[in-house]
Each structure stands twice: as C-alpha cells, then as structure tokens.
Amino acid sequence: MNSDFLKYQAQTSPYPLGMQVSYALGSYIYSCDGKKYLDFVAGVSACTLGHQPKKVNDAIKNQLDRYSHVMVYGEYAQNPAVEYCKLLASFLPESLNKTYLVNSGTEACEGALKLARRVTGRSQLISCFNAYHGNTMGSMSVMGFEERKQVFRPLIPDVDFITFNNEDDLEKITTKTAGIILETIQGGAGFIQPNNDFLKKVRARCTEVGAMMILDEIQPGFGRTGRLFGFQNYDVVPDVIIMGKGMGGGMPVGAFTASAEKMDLLSDNPKLGHITTFGGHPVIAAACLATLEELTQTDIMEQTLVKEKLFRTLLVHPLIKEIRGEGLMLAIMTESAEITNQIIFKCQDKGLILFWLLFEGCAIRITPPLTVSENEIKEGCEIILEAMNELKMAIPAVEFVN
C-alpha cells in the first residue's frame, strides 16, 4: 500500500483495501503491480456502463472543448444540463417533470428533505430503521442506524423511524409529517425489497394525510433492476425521487426530481431555497446524458434480468443461505460476517472484487457494471465458488448446519 495514501489522504476506516490502481477498462481494474481484477462492485453501483465507456468519455471530451464551469447552478442555460433534464423527464411519470442537479446523492437527499418541509410547511420527517441516505448532517439524521451517528449528535430534530415492510408503522405518518423517505430497495440493510404492496400502502397513507413520499433511487436507479428506476417495478409514483451513483457513468453527480409546481417553491420565498455552485456542471451533465442515452437506446437494462438469472443459476453452494435483490443489485447472504469477510478477501486474492454492505455483515455485494458479459459472470462465479469451497474445507461442518 502506498504510504502517502495513508499519510496525506483522509481515510474512511482504519483498514482500507489499499489497491494502487493503474487503469481500468470494461469490467476490469488493473493494479500498479500488474494484477488484473474482475470488478463485481462497479464503484459501489456507480460505473453503470463499466470503466472507460467510450460514449461517455467522448461526451466528456467534446464538452471540455466547448466550456466547463461558467456560472453557479440555475443562472445560465447550459445545453448538456437542459437536454439531460428534458430527456430524463420523458422516461418518468408526468408528475415527475423537473429536476434539480446537484453534486452527490447525499446532497440530493438534503434537497429533497428541504423540499418536503417547504411544500408542506411541516417539520416531521420519517425514515426507516437500517436506512442509509448519505452522510451529511441532514441525510445522517434520517439514517436508521444509531451506531453510525450517535457521536455526531445533535442532528436535525423531529425525525422518527419505522420498520421497512411493516404496515402497522404507517400510522406514524400523520398530518404533522412533512415527508417520509424510503429506499425503494433497502441497500445497506441487505438489499431488502418491498413486499405485500408496501410502497403502494405508503403512497396511500401519504396522500391521505398530505405528506410527501420521497423514494431514494441512488442504488436501484439507472437500470440496475431492469427498469430505469426501481419504483417502476412496483406500480407507484412518489412525490420526489432522489438519484446519484449510476447516473453519471462514473462521474460525481446527484439529483432530485419532483413536479414543477413543487420544485419551483425552492426558487422563491425565500429565493435560493437550495443553491449549489457546481450542480449541473456541463461536463458532468454531458456524461449523464450519454449514460442515459446508452441505457435507453439499447437493451442493456433488459439484459440485467437475464444476467441476474445466470448469477442465481451459477451461485449454488452450502455457504449461500440466499441471494437477495433484483437485476444486478444482488447480495449473497452467508451464515456470518466472518464467513463473508473471508470470502471477500479470498476472492480479491484470486482477482475478483466483491464488497460489503453497510449494516448487514453477512451480505456480499454483487453490483457489477450493467455491461458485464455472460463469460465474465461465469468467470467471477467460478472464483466465488472456489473461494467458498476452500473456506468450507477449513471450517467444521457443524458451522454450516442451519
């Protein structure tokens, strides 16, 4: 590991993986020591079209030759951002027609929470236990995992929590509630999908009491579940959607989308209700536009469901309790965090990149680029099964009895 990396660059944990990256291409990352790694994480769901996608790179280069940053967000009409928001609206329900471009998913969350309070004039926010919506003070306030936020308190007040998929908890949404924020599929909690029409029931309760329904699409969004956004699989239309990660084909970006009527409230009384210098950056917007065009003009999104079936067919092993998720947002569940850790480290040694989920220690993240090939899936699954076989031989059989 590069000692300067640890000395000069702030870390997120005491034990970073520390690979020194030379370059990346397609579904592979190449380290400075000459090793090739098949990437089943895609920058934690961010590299939707793989590494160095030509259309995205060309769009970035072409825009750089025209202009880069020229003015703070919302003042000048900059074609890449305008065209992106227009194209995005064409693939969304009619009521989701105006987009605010920001720099990251967590900023998009902040903007959506502010919008809920601005629209309703109420203060209460509701989230879910084991939810993750980002790590700034507002988004951390709606994080449903006390261990990660207790040392940063006090956070923003008037936040309550419910249990995902628990219909009885919906009574907590009242006429005092500004908005409820939900991940369409809970990510950090273990790729937990809504069941028994849970999202529809949340929608109905929000409509009944006049609260805003905010869906966080930062992980499921941009084709990862076979549709452009995860909520489109559940026959529900929220008031606001939050997006990021896969939106920019590997570039840093976020956005939140609502109706024009609601979104326009951020521009007056007071003016500058939300403001960002670099949101809608033309180079980033060009990358977003190229990514969205590639997703919607090809069968890449539909193929994620075919590739999911291949993963589920190949990944059968006594160490695998179940595979959660949908499309190419999958989590292998093992018996323990220790087993998960060993599998992830063994696979990295064998040239396959896997990763963890935030709050569910037994989960192994599989979120490859949507462009991953069937042969690459087979290659990666062989490595996973090989690592599992080695681990199973080293641990007494009694530990694998359910």
Side-chain angles (χ1 to χ4, degrees):
M1 186 184 301
N2 187 330
S3 60
D4 287 348
F5 169 59
L6 298 177
K7 183 175 181 180
Y8 296 107
Q9 185 175 344
Q11 307 301 312
T12 57
S13 74
Y15 308 107
L17 292 173
M19 182 200 302
Q20 287 186 257
V21 177
S22 174
Y23 68 100
L25 185 64
S27 297
Y28 293 90
I29 298 174
Y30 298 81
S31 66
C32 290
D33 60 6
K35 192 167 183 179
K36 175 182 177 182
Y37 294 86
L38 177 57
D39 184 5
F40 271 11
V41 177
V44 190
S45 303
C47 301
T48 305
L49 302 176
H51 300 287
Q52 304 299 321
K54 186 177 187 308
K55 289 187 178 179
V56 175
N57 280 8
D58 286 347
I60 290 169
K61 293 170 185 176
N62 289 338
Q63 183 56 41
L64 279 171
D65 286 339
R66 291 178 171 86
Y67 60 89
S68 182
H69 177 69
V70 290
M71 179 53 72
V72 295
Y73 180 84
E75 294 296 332
Y76 289 178
Q78 300 177 59
N79 191 65
V82 173
E83 289 302 311
Y84 179 73
C85 292
K86 180 180 178 181
L87 183 61
L88 182 63
S90 73
F91 294 105
L92 288 170
E94 187 176 351
S95 60
L96 297 170
N97 54 33
K98 201 160 194 177
T99 295
Y100 198 122
L101 298 169
V102 293
N103 301 285
S104 65
T106 193
E107 188 191 348
C109 173
E110 299 280 345
L113 296 177
K114 288 166 66 178
L115 181 62
R117 285 184 166 177
R118 177 66 181 85
V119 169
T120 64
R122 305 170 184 175
S123 63
Q124 187 193 47
L125 300 167
I126 293 177
S127 184
C128 286
F129 294 112
N130 292 327
Y132 181 78
H133 300 287
N135 227 40
T136 47
M137 295 298 277
S139 55
M140 184 181 289
S141 299
V142 292
M143 180 196 299
F145 198 78
E146 186 62 25
E147 178 185 330
R148 295 283 179 91
K149 62 184 186 178
Q150 59 186 353
V151 299
F152 301 106
R153 288 192 176 278
L155 300 172
I156 64 171
D158 208 4
V159 177
D160 201 359
F161 292 87
I162 67 172
T163 300
F164 196 75
N165 282 329
N166 185 340
E167 298 172 27
D168 293 337
D169 278 359
L170 298 186
E171 293 183 2
K172 289 187 175 182
I173 307 171
T174 70
T175 53
K176 295 181 180 179
T177 305
I180 178 169
I181 182 169
L182 304 159
E183 296 161 276
T184 305
I185 298 174
Q186 278 204 305
F191 288 5
I192 298 172
Q193 295 173 262
N195 58 40
N196 196 27
D197 287 332
F198 180 67
L199 294 183
K200 281 187 176 181
K201 292 167 183 175
V202 173
R203 171 72 278 173
R205 181 62 175 170
C206 287
T207 300
E208 179 185 353
V209 302
M212 297 263 283
M213 182 183 185
I214 304 166
L215 283 182
D216 182 338
E217 286 280 346
I218 292 171
Q219 290 204 64
F222 295 95
R224 196 154 285 279
T225 67
R227 305 285 295 274
L228 189 59
F229 292 103
F231 76 86
Q232 294 170 324
N233 294 305
Y234 299 102
D235 192 26
V236 65
V237 179
D239 295 293
V240 188
I241 58 171
I242 299 169
M243 61 198 84
K245 286 194 184 293
M247 176 179 173
M251 300 298 281
V253 68
F256 57 108
T257 299
S259 68
E261 179 186 13
K262 292 182 174 71
M263 196 68 80
D264 286 349
L265 292 175
L266 289 179
S267 67
D268 196 19
N269 195 26
K271 294 180 175 63
L272 309 181
H274 191 72
I275 187 65
T276 174
T277 298
F278 290 113
H281 191 285
V283 177
I284 304 299
C288 292
L289 181 59
T291 300
L292 184 58
E293 287 175 342
E294 185 71 0
L295 287 174
T296 55
Q297 294 172 8
T298 67
D299 67 348
I300 289 173
M301 290 191 290
E302 291 84 353
Q303 284 299 311
T304 63
L305 301 179
V306 176
K307 293 169 183 179
E308 175 194 353
K309 289 180 182 178
L310 182 57
F311 270 113
R312 291 185 181 277
T313 298
L314 296 173
L315 289 176
V316 178
H317 194 277
L319 293 188
I320 298 176
K321 290 176 60 180
E322 63 174 315
I323 300 177
R324 294 180 185 168
E326 188 170 6
L328 291 178
M329 182 179 175
L330 301 174
I332 298 173
M333 305 303 297
T334 73
E335 290 283 352
S336 71
E338 178 59 27
I339 290 172
T340 285
N341 289 341
Q342 291 196 48
I343 291 168
I344 290 173
F345 287 125
K346 279 179 174 289
C347 285
Q348 177 158 310
D349 289 343
K350 296 175 182 293
L352 174 67
I353 297 172
L354 301 171
F355 210 58
W356 296 266
L357 299 184
L358 281 174
F359 310 138
E360 174 52 83
C362 296
I364 301 171
R365 171 189 285 273
I366 295 182
T367 55
L370 303 192
T371 51
V372 66
S373 70
E374 290 191 4
N375 284 337
E376 288 165 346
I377 292 172
K378 292 175 182 177
E379 176 189 347
C381 289
E382 286 177 7
I383 293 173
I384 293 170
L385 295 175
E386 181 182 322
M388 288 182 171
N389 285 335
E390 291 177 5
L391 185 57
K392 189 172 185 298
M393 290 177 62
I395 301 177
V398 67
E399 295 194 23
F400 303 111
V401 177
N402 292 328

